[in-house]
C-alpha cells in the first residue's frame, strides 16, 4: 500500500479534516488531564532545561497545536510553583509525507501570539510512518499520539486468499457477517504493527521519558457491535448503493478494505508484555 496516499484531507475547506475533527478534539479534551499531569510530573521529576516533545499522527488543522499550547502552559505553571525558569521546548509534529504540514505552520504566528512567548518554543515537521524510526536514539522526553495508532500500516494480507480474492466479501471492515478469520487477520496485523511502534519509540525516548496514547477501542475481544464498527457498515452499504446506481465499479468496491482496527485492553497488554 502506498502510504503517501493515506492521509487526512488537508486545507481548511468544507470537507477538510480541519473542519471535521471536533470529535477528535472532544476526546483529547476528555483525556487531557492525563496528558498534562504526565508531562508535568515528568518535568518536576527531571527539571530539564529542554523538553523534547513529539506528536505522532498530528494531521492538520487547529487540533495539532491546541494540546501543544496546553502542555507548554501547564509546564510553565509548574515552573512558577517551584520557582524555576521554564525550559526550552522542541516540538516535533509527525505524520505521513503527504500530510498538510503547511496549514499547521501557517497557524504558528497566532499560536505564538496566544502563548505570549516564542523565543524558547521551536517546531519541526517530521514526515514519515510511525511504524518506523523517526527520531535519533534517546532524543525525546515526551511522546503523544491521539486517534492515530488504531490506523494500521496496511490492510491485513490475510484478508485475501491464495488467488487474491477477499474473504470478507461485501464488507470493508469487521462485520457481523464476516468470517472469524477476518477478525483474526486484523488482530494479527495490529499486534505486528504495535510491536514495531513500541520498539521504535523505546529507542527514541530518553531514560525516564513518558508516552500517552489515545486510541479507538472496544470493551472486549468479542465486542464488534460498537459504534465505530457500525459506521464502517454504513459506509459499506453506501458503496453498495453507489454500485447499484452505476456510480462506482463493483470491482473497485470489492478491493476496498480499511486499515483501521479498534483494539481492546487485553490485546494492548499482550503486545506490551511480548515486546518487553
Amino acid at each position: 500500500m502506498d502510504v503517501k496516499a493515506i492521509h487526512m484531507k488537508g486545507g481548511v475547506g468544507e470537507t477538510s479534516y480541519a473542519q471535521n475533527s471536533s470529535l477528535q478534539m472532544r476526546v483529547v479534551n476528555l483525556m487531557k488531564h492525563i496528558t498534562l499531569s504526565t508531562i508535568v510530573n515528568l518535568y518536576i521529576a527531571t527539571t530539564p532545561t529542554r523538553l523534547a516533545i513529539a506528536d505522532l499522527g498530528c494531521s492538520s488543522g487547529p487540533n495539532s497545536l491546541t494540546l501543544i499550547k496546553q502542555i507548554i502552559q501547564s509546564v510553565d505553571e509548574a515552573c512558577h510553583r517551584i520557582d524555576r525558569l521554564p525550559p526550552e521546548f522542541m516540538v516535533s509534529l509527525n505524520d505521513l509525507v503527504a500530510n498538510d504540514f503547511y496549514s499547521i505552520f501557517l497557524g504558528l504566528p497566532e499560536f505564538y501570539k496566544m502563548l505570549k512567548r516564542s523565543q524558547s518554543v521551536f517546531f519541526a515537521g517530521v514526515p514519515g510512518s510511525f511504524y518506523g524510526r523517526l527520531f535519533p536514539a534517546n532524543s525525546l522526553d515526551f511522546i503523544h499520539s491521539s486517534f492515530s495508532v488504531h490506523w494500521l500500516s496496511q490492510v491485513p494480507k490475510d484478508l485475501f486468499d491464495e488467488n487474491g480474492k477477499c474473504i470478507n466479501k461485501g464488507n470493508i471492515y469487521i462485520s457481523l457477517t464476516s468470517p472469524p478469520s477476518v477478525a483474526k487477520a486484523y488482530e494479527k496485523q495490529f499486534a505486528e504493527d504495535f510491536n514495531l511502534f513500541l520498539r521504535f519509540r523505546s529507542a527514541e525516548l530518553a531514560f525516564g521519558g513518558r508516552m500517552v496514547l489515545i486510541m479507538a477501542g472496544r470493551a472486549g475481544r468479542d465486542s464488534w457491535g460498537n459504534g465505530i464498527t457500525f459506521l464502517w457498515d454504513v459506509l459499506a452499504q453506501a458503496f453498495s448503493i453507489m454500485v447499484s446506481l452505476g456510480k462506482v465499479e463493483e470491482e473497485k468496491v470489492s478491493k476496498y478494505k480499511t486499515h483501521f482496527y479498534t483494539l481492546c485492553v487485553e490485546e494492548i497488554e499482550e503486545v506490551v508484555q511480548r515486546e518487553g
Side-chain angles (χ1 to χ4, degrees):
M1 179 173 288
D2 184 3
V3 295
K4 292 185 293 184
I6 305 167
H7 59 90
M8 298 302 177
K9 186 171 178 62
V12 293
E14 183 179 354
T15 61
S16 67
Y17 181 80
Q19 299 296 328
N20 294 275
S21 54
S22 58
L23 169 64
Q24 290 87 337
M25 193 67 247
R26 285 201 298 272
V27 174
V28 169
N29 284 331
L30 283 172
M31 302 299 293
K32 71 178 181 180
H33 65 286
I34 296 175
T35 304
L36 299 181
S37 65
T38 298
I39 192 163
V40 167
N41 290 338
L42 165 66
Y43 173 76
I44 292 175
T46 58
T47 58
T49 57
R50 177 191 61 86
L51 270 174
I53 300 170
D55 183 7
L56 307 185
C58 65
S59 194
S60 59
N63 290 4
S64 305
L65 297 178
T66 299
L67 184 64
I68 298 298
K69 177 171 69 72
Q70 294 170 342
I71 286 173
I72 294 172
Q73 290 174 335
S74 295
V75 173
D76 282 352
E77 291 170 3
C79 291
H80 180 72
R81 290 197 301 270
I82 62 176
D83 195 25
R84 289 186 65 90
L85 291 175
E88 292 185 325
F89 290 87
M90 181 64 234
V91 181
S92 297
L93 303 176
N94 156 259
D95 213 304
L96 296 174
V97 294
N99 183 60
D100 185 9
F101 288 99
Y102 179 68
S103 68
I104 300 176
F105 294 133
L106 281 177
L108 286 181
E110 182 64 23
F111 170 87
Y112 287 129
K113 183 179 179 181
M114 290 188 298
L115 197 62
K116 298 180 180 178
R117 63 182 289 209
S118 61
Q119 298 302 314
S120 57
V121 182
F122 308 94
F123 280 89
V126 182
S129 170
F130 50 51
Y131 294 121
R133 277 291 297 273
L134 294 168
F135 303 96
N138 306 313
S139 63
L140 297 176
D141 300 298
F142 182 73
I143 293 174
H144 174 264
S145 182
S146 180
F147 266 69
S148 296
V149 182
H150 49 242
W151 291 104
L152 304 174
S153 66
Q154 62 181 9
V155 173
K157 294 179 180 178
D158 291 347
L159 290 182
F160 303 90
D161 61 22
E162 60 274 9
N163 298 316
K165 292 187 176 181
C166 185
I167 62 175
N168 197 24
K169 188 176 181 180
N171 302 306
I172 61 178
Y173 184 56
I174 305 165
S175 177
L176 292 176
T177 60
S178 301
S181 55
V182 170
K184 290 293 184 183
Y186 274 97
E187 182 177 351
K188 177 184 176 183
Q189 186 65 53
F190 165 75
E192 293 174 356
D193 285 348
F194 196 49
N195 181 75
L196 287 175
F197 180 92
L198 293 177
R199 183 189 308 170
F200 293 129
R201 301 298 81 77
S202 66
E204 295 163 350
L205 270 175
F207 181 77
R210 312 286 174 88
M211 180 164 64
V212 174
L213 308 178
I214 303 173
M215 298 173 278
R218 63 187 200 279
R221 287 191 181 276
D222 300 324
S223 302
W224 300 115
N226 57 42
I228 295 178
T229 303
F230 171 75
L231 292 176
W232 291 116
D233 285 342
V234 170
L235 183 57
Q237 293 171 15
F239 281 160
S240 179
I241 293 172
M242 292 173 72
V243 169
S244 68
L245 296 175
K247 301 290 186 180
V248 181
E249 297 176 20
E250 184 175 4
E251 183 180 359
K252 288 184 178 181
V253 173
S254 66
K255 292 179 179 178
Y256 180 82
K257 308 299 171 189
T258 183
H259 61 292
F260 176 96
Y261 185 63
T262 51
L263 46 135
C264 65
V265 172
E266 291 83 0
E267 290 170 311
I268 297 177
E269 290 175 342
E270 288 170 4
V271 177
V272 168
Q273 290 167 3
R274 281 200 302 269
E275 200 279 331

